[in-house]
Amino acid sequence: AALLPSMLMFGVILASSGLLLMIERGILAQVGPPPLHPPAGLSRRDGRDSPAELELELEVLRDTRNRTIRALCGQRSMPRSVWELPPGQRRTVLQHLLVSDKYRFLYCYVPKVACSNWKRVLKVLDGALESVDVRGKMDHKSDLVFLGDMKPEEISYRLKHYYKFIFVRNPMERLLSAYRNKFGEIKEYQQKYGVEIIRRYRKNGGNSAGDDVSFSEFLQYLLDEDVERMNEHWMPIYNLCQPCAVRYDFIGSYERLHADANHVLEHIQSPSFVRFPERQAWYKPVTAETLHYYLCNTQRRLIKELLPKYILDFSLFAYPLPNITSEFCRQ
């Protein structure tokens, strides 16, 4: 019950379209909803939450998210279906909706939100993969059915009759995960994006191999990039999955990944032997401390100017805006 006043106030701010104005005035550093999304695997009060308290928080989160989505998507200017989207936006969302005709569901995959594991699940359900534990590099194209490859009448039927779900993640945490993975480990991204980023934003950076892009340089690149032209790994979730044009039946979160994944698997009545994969041993997740370190060592101007590009992801999915005040960072 103590959560409700602040959540309602946050809803009022959103409904009045005052959020962007508050960002522009620089007064949002400590204003936002309570952290309903705890760091993955942790309770908000270090394990002292009872199951009833956690369930209440989850109900408040879902209710806030649903109310916010209804309020935003109910505005006249917002699309009511994928056919009302401009061609480029429609193409993006249809190419991110994966289809299971056997289990009658659509999953909008979001890179850096456990989408590789969900693709493994889809392949196992379809019989293309023996087990979710099969090791090896994930092929993100083969043995998967994309809604965008179907005829318009087939698309409309599935959008109307199939169970639809997505998984979301704290926007800044997702960006940091993409940055560390793509520029710290993937040579293709270093050569394609890293070299260009350094050429643009660093004096005398012409000899860089693209493997030493700083987080600030990456954020500056995102600030200057057209959202519709962004790589899918850092394109806002709103643009990838269009939650106004597609009415999702369930929105899971990275912070409750296995519980929410099990909910989806139960709903689609998947075989009992199909389970959501455990995290790979080599995977190094972004912790709250790591995120705070990067944000507190980045120019506040960059973060404040970047927030409007991702503000729908923060607001629609009820994530608190990052706290980058001097007092917080000193701690």
Side-chain angles (χ1 to χ4, degrees):
L3 292 172
L4 292 178
S6 55
M7 291 307 301
L8 290 174
M9 175 59 70
F10 185 62
V12 169
I13 292 172
L14 291 172
S16 64
S17 301
L19 203 52
L20 289 177
L21 179 61
M22 293 178 72
I23 288 176
E24 291 171 3
R25 293 178 177 175
I27 59 176
L28 259 182
Q30 293 182 326
V31 178
L36 292 178
H37 293 278
L42 295 178
S43 164
R44 282 181 56 238
R45 289 183 287 275
D46 300 324
R48 292 193 292 272
D49 291 20
S50 70
E53 288 174 322
L54 290 173
E55 189 60 33
L56 173 61
E57 289 185 6
L58 184 59
E59 286 183 18
V60 173
L61 167 63
R62 287 177 176 162
D63 183 62
T64 302
R65 201 159 48 194
N66 290 337
R67 287 172 181 267
T68 308
I69 290 175
R70 284 198 300 269
L72 177 77
C73 298
Q75 298 180 26
R76 291 182 181 180
S77 60
M78 303 306 290
R80 299 294 195 276
S81 76
V82 296
W83 308 115
E84 295 182 16
L85 293 170
Q89 294 180 17
R90 180 167 63 246
R91 185 165 52 250
T92 295
V93 65
L94 292 180
Q95 284 302 321
H96 282 81
L97 282 164
L98 296 173
V99 182
S100 172
D101 283 328
K102 184 176 181 181
Y103 291 91
R104 296 176 63 85
F105 70 78
L106 301 176
Y107 159 59
C108 187
Y109 79 87
V110 178
K112 308 312 298 177
V113 191
C115 75
S116 293
N117 279 342
W118 268 115
K119 288 175 181 177
R120 283 191 175 88
V121 170
L122 263 71
K123 292 186 179 189
V124 171
L125 290 174
D126 196 45
L129 198 64
E130 182 180 346
S131 166
V132 295
D133 297 320
V134 172
R135 297 190 177 275
K137 187 177 180 180
M138 164 61 64
D139 188 327
H140 290 268
K141 297 296 181 183
S142 68
D143 300 317
L144 293 169
V145 180
F146 296 84
L147 192 61
D149 294 335
M150 295 184 170
K151 298 176 181 178
E153 59 270 21
E154 296 173 329
I155 293 172
S156 294
Y157 177 84
R158 286 161 178 79
L159 284 170
K160 182 177 181 180
H161 296 287
Y162 281 20
Y163 180 72
K164 299 172 288 294
F165 68 94
I166 60 173
F167 273 71
V168 299
R169 186 178 187 179
N170 179 299
M172 294 307 297
E173 183 181 303
R174 176 173 170 249
L175 288 182
L176 179 56
S177 178
Y179 162 76
R180 287 176 35 163
N181 173 238
K182 300 308 175 187
F183 297 106
E185 303 172 5
I186 312 298
K187 195 166 186 179
E188 176 188 351
Y189 277 77
Q190 294 168 0
Q191 293 174 342
K192 182 175 181 180
Y193 295 99
V195 170
E196 174 62 19
I197 290 173
I198 291 173
R199 185 191 67 78
R200 283 195 207 177
Y201 304 112
R202 188 184 304 176
K203 291 182 179 179
N204 304 318
N207 295 324
S208 172
D211 58 352
D212 59 341
V213 176
S214 71
F215 189 57
S216 292
E217 290 169 335
F218 175 57
L219 295 189
Q220 184 64 58
Y221 165 73
L222 297 180
L223 186 59
D224 295 338
E225 187 76 352
D226 180 0
V227 169
E228 298 299 330
R229 297 168 58 107
M230 282 183 176
N231 179 280
E232 63 176 8
H233 289 84
W234 42 81
M235 182 181 282
I237 297 174
Y238 178 87
N239 298 80
L240 289 173
C241 295
Q242 295 289 344
C244 288
V246 179
R247 291 180 175 256
Y248 292 98
D249 299 291
F250 183 77
I251 300 176
S253 68
Y254 188 81
E255 294 76 19
R256 284 178 45 90
L257 181 58
H258 278 81
D260 285 351
N262 288 336
H263 172 86
V264 171
L265 292 174
E266 288 177 10
H267 185 90
I268 64 173
Q269 298 183 336
S270 70
S272 57
F273 68 87
V274 177
R275 56 176 177 76
F276 196 77
E278 295 295 329
R279 178 181 290 158
Q280 302 274 1
W282 51 263
Y283 181 73
K284 297 179 180 179
V286 174
T287 65
E289 291 76 15
T290 305
L291 179 61
H292 294 158
Y293 173 82
Y294 274 90
L295 293 180
C296 287
N297 284 280
T298 300
Q299 293 180 1
R300 289 186 210 170
R301 172 193 64 82
L302 268 180
I303 297 173
K304 287 183 177 180
E305 291 180 2
L306 186 63
L307 284 178
K309 281 197 170 180
Y310 294 88
I311 198 62
L312 289 177
D313 286 2
F314 280 106
S315 58
L316 288 180
F317 307 127
Y319 284 104
L321 294 169
N323 188 341
I324 51 173
T325 60
S326 299
E327 180 182 358
F328 177 79
C329 287
R330 277 197 301 270
Q331 297 173 1

